[in-house]
Amino acid sequence: MAIWMRKALISTAVRSLRTAFASHRNPVFISRSFGSSQQLEPFSTDDDYDDHDHESLDFPGGPVSYSCEMRFLPGSSEKRVQCYRVLDDNGYPLSSTQFQHVNKEVAVKMYSGMVTLEAMDTVIYEAQRQGRISFYMTSYGEEAINLGSAAALSSHDIVLPQYREPGVMLWRGFELQDFVNQFFGNKNDIGKGRQMPTHYGSNKHNVITVSAPLATQLPQAVGAAYSLKMDKKDACVVTYFGDGCSSEGDFHASLNFAAVMEVPIVYICRNNGWAISTPVTEQFRSDGIVVKGQAYGIPSIRVDGNDALAVYNAVAAAREMAITEQRPVLIEALTYRVGHHSTSDDSTKYRPVDEIEHWKTSRNPVSVFRKWVQRRGWWSDEQESEFRANIRKQVIHAVQVAEKTEKAPIGYMFSDVYEKLPSNLMEQEKLLRETIKRYPQDFPKDVALGI
Amino acid sequence: MATIFQRIGAATSLSYSIDTKTSRRSLSERKASFVVVRSDATKINTGLNRIGGRVDHLITNAVATKADTLAASTASKPGHEVLLFEALKEGLEEEMERDARVCVMGEDVGHYGGSYKVTKGLAPKFGDLRVLDTPIAENSFTGMGIGAAMTGLRPVIEGMNMGFLLLAFNQISNNCGMLHYTSGGQFKIPVVIRGPGGVGRQLGAEHSQRLESYFQSIPGIQMVACSTPYNAKGLMKAAIRSDNPVILFEHVLLYNLKETIPDEEYVLNLEEAEMVRPGQHVTILTYSRMRYHVMQAAKTLVNKGYDPEVIDIRSLKPFDLHTIGNSVKKTHRVLIVEECMRTGGIGASLTAAINENFQDYLDAPIVCLSSQDVPTPYAGTLEEWTVVQPPQIVAAVEQLCQ
């Protein structure tokens, strides 16, 4: 796989440079210095062609050849690692890109999933602003990462999300009503009203419940992959995280563990440029996250996260590699966080409004993909307006239903702390119920006392 | 045959075998406070008169109120002699044989066999995948264990020293204890987190932590502390079989305790306390290493005419208030002896719990002997003074029973 991708990245300018040097130099030298080694460039050296190349020294970890030149590996290369892209800004496939086509069914499901996600975000954000729910996090700008990656996975692959990946759940069949129930924490919430909005999870859909502290899912993902490896399942683990999250200690240890233990796991980093108000320039000094994979011995790729087909292709290939070779793979999807970090954030306070507008309009992943799907004849303007109106109605309806549903009952406060309710919790529950009985006017009416 | 207290000369807590002859010779050595208890098949015996210098019957495996067949089993069969770390290994090995989902992960647990040899021989037997050597990142391999547990395995996570698990606090508190709850009961986390803790022999402040005080607030976890080879094996097995996350506290200085344990399989109850010595005058609640200091003090107390009831609480979260309550109702006086710091330790919580539940039965305020609120010093004499010693226990009982 790697070879055809490398070829695709060589531009015409570079090709002519190659031919210019062909007669004078060792062909190996050319392919190392130009084009194909872009992704490896920061760490490749000229030592192989050095006249002062010496035989290897034996050290723990393997033989190492030595050099008489004192050469420091540069901290970063002049050129950033290139990103893999399939569609251009207008939704036309780039001429030299090789990619797997998706069929109509998948493409339409991907596109409608992206629109659904957008619609859900819009309605629920408004609902939060109206005071109907307490909190929400939108995924504006990251719809392609959500649906593009979800479409490339099998339902057996275990997903450990960070929190900005509801599209994965949508793809796998988690209903809008289930989402909205979770946001309202009502008695029909699969999570039993215990977590904040957008901290969803579903056993049935192989998506592990979101945990708020950053990066906790990363070592857990290695554990889940380890369990898949023990059971020799034909599945992998996919875990998502953001650019800010890559600063956490758990990120580094997780990549390290995954490489050492040789487990089937695909890491997908949503590098959206912002960690609340911290831009990536203040988060790390490396060239994004893709170069970090190599430090741990993990094959890595950078993709255009706003290009649904690029994401789809990369994830499909990574998944294949992870399962057949039983190893971790890292994907860095470059994108932009169009929305605020959450409803508790106003991002106009730390970034220019026109920057946000630019990404919202001219670099919008949903519109790019729409253009491609429509051009293939699988979608139309009429379908678009009909679908959008319909889905908006559906979300609003789900909100109305969820709002009227009773809140999670008192019993849910105490159950599932342990496998079985222990005596001290039984006592505490009894005390609470007695208190409520004695002072009913002081307690909310919409909480069921049953269960 | 009566039990014998033997004093061993100061040495590291790592492997050295205990021999009757050597230990008798070292009886005269005063430096050590590490006590080895050897007991053969014991019977449940109450009210043995110890005036005149006869040694105690140490009932290491009786359980107080509930008619439990487990205790009886030790009395009937001859059993085999093990050291505490071997008992832990036996328990672990039996569970790994019984259930293929049980696996071990931690630093140096594989071919090295574990820093305290609890996992010795398991890697060659079960393979590298089931006895996993992890890189050094406690938060991460604890997280890994949690992830593996959520997807069907039953990991036993070893912290090389409990103190290092402070690095794993995030995963233990935010995920291990919580994910079963926050996922709406969808994902369960049947992990066992274990490792040696407590004050050792001049290991310095960072290696002498009592993590039970820090972890006790975390909802969703259970905590148990083992103190004898018998209960170590039983609790290890129970912890592995439990679907809740369990933290099993071992003590650095107790790994070489020798005891005869039953040949046949037994599993102890995670939430039960252990009646070590029934008595009438005062209830002494303790756990882990302090049990031995208490029993030493009990010897002196008995010589002075007191009849202390000694309970090894074993279950640190939740407390076995049933056993403890029955004892309080009988003796009306409580002394808690712990190794935790005075502030926010297990003793502090236990004092509150007993006061709340058994206020009416107390004839005197509860006395709690704990370590001072200082980091454990390295110097041997200073270190000895931070740990509650038998003479302090004797003095406290005398004061309490006035």
Side-chain angles (χ1 to χ4, degrees), chain A residues 329-400:
Chain A
V329 183
L330 171 65
I331 298 175
E332 178 186 19
L334 295 180
T335 180
Y336 188 85
R337 193 195 78 210
V338 171
H340 308 301
H341 167 71
S342 71
T343 49
S344 314
D345 174 44
D346 173 13
S347 59
T348 57
K349 291 228 173 354
Y350 47 80
R351 55 184 189 176
V353 180
D354 51 351
E355 181 186 296
I356 306 173
E357 268 314 299
H358 167 71
W359 285 91
K360 202 177 196 170
T361 50
S362 45
R363 302 290 298 276
N364 188 322
V366 186
S367 357
V368 169
F369 195 53
R370 175 183 168 185
K371 288 180 184 146
W372 182 79
V373 179
Q374 280 199 215
R375 253 175 241 129
R376 307 241 10 174
W378 297 337
W379 196 256
S380 67
D381 285 341
E382 299 83 55
Q383 276 174 286
E384 175 77 12
S385 33
E386 197 189 309
F387 188 81
R388 280 196 185 260
N390 201 340
I391 205 75
R392 186 179 161 83
K393 251 194 242 128
Q394 277 185 48
V395 184
I396 291 176
H397 176 74
V399 170
Q400 288 165 339

Side-chain angles (χ1 to χ4, degrees), chain A residues 207-220:
Chain A
V207 179
I208 298 204
T209 305
V210 173
S211 170
L214 287 184
T216 49
Q217 76 276 15
L218 297 179
Q220 290 172 12

Side-chain angles (χ1 to χ4, degrees), chain A residues 158 190-192 194-195 201-203 207 209 211 213 216 219-220 223-224 226-227 250 253 257 261 413 415-419, chain B residues 129 132 135 137 139-141 143-144 147-148 150-151 153 171 174-175 180-187 220-221 244 317:
Chain A
I158 302 174
I190 288 174
K192 296 186 186 161
R194 293 162 183 163
Q195 261 292 17
S202 171
N203 205 346
V207 179
T209 305
S211 170
T216 49
Q220 290 172 12
Y226 167 74
S227 122
D250 273 354
F257 275 52
M261 281 162 206
M413 193 169 139
S415 57
D416 297 327
V417 178
Y418 292 97
E419 204 60 27
Chain B
L129 217 46
L132 198 58
N139 201 31
S140 306
F141 65 70
M144 186 176 154
M150 287 196 285
T151 42
L153 293 182
Q171 288 284 353
N174 278 324
N175 292 327
H180 185 239
Y181 183 78
T182 58
S183 67
Q186 294 185 87
F187 298 100
I221 56 154
N244 292 318
K317 185 183 170 82

Side-chain angles (χ1 to χ4, degrees), chain B residues 137-217:
Chain B
E138 282 76 8
N139 201 31
S140 306
F141 65 70
T142 307
M144 186 176 154
I146 292 166
M150 287 196 285
T151 42
L153 293 182
R154 302 186 76 91
V156 176
I157 301 164
E158 172 172 316
M160 192 182 280
N161 185 290
M162 272 285 167
F164 306 155
L165 290 184
L166 285 170
L167 286 149
F169 211 110
N170 185 19
Q171 288 284 353
I172 294 174
S173 123
N174 278 324
N175 292 327
C176 183
M178 275 191 204
L179 266 163
H180 185 239
Y181 183 78
T182 58
S183 67
Q186 294 185 87
F187 298 100
K188 68 177 184 191
I189 308 178
V191 297
V192 176
I193 298 172
R194 49 159 293 269
V199 178
R201 188 84 57 221
Q202 292 193 270
L203 297 177
E206 300 97 330
H207 297 94
S208 311
Q209 299 272 32
R210 279 77 87 191
L211 274 259
E212 56 270 23
S213 20
Y214 306 142
F215 287 150
Q216 61 177 323
S217 272

